[in-house]
């Protein structure tokens, strides 16, 4: 062999080593946590008044933009003028909670992220709980923006759907 054959073989061996290192990095499995888990204590200052455990909420739609679910439960004696109430969905407090004598409603925004930690979509959910004389009616509404209903359904398959009405400051 000539001297330049040794140089070519040496270069090919070095290139092969670097390619092998890159392939190992490419095919290695990495585990990571994206975002953080928000947990709320719901048993210190709150007493549960109503609990609506859906499992998953089955939405109906007519225009594929606005999705709604109306569920009825047994009647309860609710007086929004005497006590101060709030709403929790899967342990997360709802925003913009408004209560009247026989009704309480609030909003929740669930953000969904991709593997790079970038926001994909936000599911803006509106809950209305009406305490009627014969039944309790719970209306859940969501507007489908960027497949937010699909992401919410996947979230509920994993985490379930529990809406709680709690008394504040007990």
């Amino acid at each position: 062999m000539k001297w330049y054959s040794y140089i070519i073989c040496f270069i090919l061996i070095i290139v092969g080593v670097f390619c092998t290192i890159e392939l190992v990095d490419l095919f290695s499995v990495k585990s990571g946590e994206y975002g953080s888990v928000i947990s709320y204590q719901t048993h210190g200052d709150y007493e549960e008044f109503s609990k609506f455990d859906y499992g998953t909420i089955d939405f109906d739609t007519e225009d594929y933009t606005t999705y709604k679910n109306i569920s009825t439960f047994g009647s309860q004696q609710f007086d929004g003028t005497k006590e101060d109430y709030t709403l929790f969905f899967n342990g997360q407090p709802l925003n913009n909670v408004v209560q009247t004598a026989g009704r309480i409603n609030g909003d929740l925004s669930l953000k969904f992220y991709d593997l790079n930690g970038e926001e994909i979509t936000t599911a803006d959910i509106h809950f209305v709980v009406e305490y009627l004389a014969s039944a309790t009616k719970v209306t859940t509404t969501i507007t489908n923006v960027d497949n937010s209903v699909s992401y919410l359904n996947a979230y509920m398959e994993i985490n379930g759907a529990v809406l709680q009405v709690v008394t504040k400051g007990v």
Side-chain angles (χ1 to χ4, degrees):
M1 277 174 79
K2 303 267 183 193
W3 64 272
Y4 55 86
S5 299
Y6 291 108
I7 293 176
I8 292 173
C9 287
F10 180 73
I11 291 173
L12 287 175
I13 291 172
I14 297 297
V15 169
V17 168
F18 282 115
C19 288
T20 304
I21 291 171
E22 288 298 317
L23 283 174
V24 167
D25 286 342
L26 180 67
F27 291 114
S28 66
V29 177
K30 294 180 183 175
S31 176
E33 179 181 320
Y34 300 98
S36 62
V37 176
I38 300 172
S39 61
Y40 299 95
Q41 295 291 340
T42 59
H43 55 313
D45 294 297
Y46 301 108
E47 182 180 313
E48 184 176 274
F49 179 77
S50 299
K51 182 177 181 179
F52 310 104
D53 192 352
Y54 288 96
T56 58
I57 300 173
D58 295 324
F59 291 104
D60 295 324
T61 185
E62 293 179 3
D63 59 359
Y64 297 102
T65 301
T66 304
Y67 289 76
K68 184 183 267 191
N69 175 277
I70 300 173
S71 300
T72 56
F73 298 92
S75 65
Q76 285 186 291
Q77 297 297 322
F78 176 85
D79 189 359
T81 60
K82 292 183 180 178
E83 296 283 338
D84 195 18
Y85 297 93
T86 191
L87 293 167
F88 283 89
F89 181 73
N90 286 353
Q92 298 180 36
L94 273 62
N95 301 316
N96 306 323
V97 176
V98 177
Q99 71 183 44
T100 59
R103 173 183 166 138
I104 184 168
N105 62 319
D107 302 315
L108 178 68
S109 293
L110 287 175
K111 296 181 185 287
F112 297 99
Y113 300 92
D114 64 5
L115 293 177
N116 297 323
E118 296 178 22
E119 184 178 327
I120 299 170
T121 188
T122 301
D124 293 318
I125 314 163
H126 182 72
F127 294 97
V128 177
V129 182
E130 296 175 294
Y131 292 94
L132 307 171
S134 61
T136 302
K137 184 169 91 170
V138 180
T139 305
T140 308
T141 309
I142 180 173
T143 302
N144 191 23
V145 178
D146 295 330
N147 291 325
S148 59
V149 172
S150 297
Y151 285 97
L152 178 62
N153 286 332
Y155 168 83
M156 289 186 298
E157 287 291 327
I158 297 168
N159 299 308
V162 177
L163 180 66
Q164 293 174 303
V165 178
V166 296
T167 307
K168 284 198 233 177
V170 174

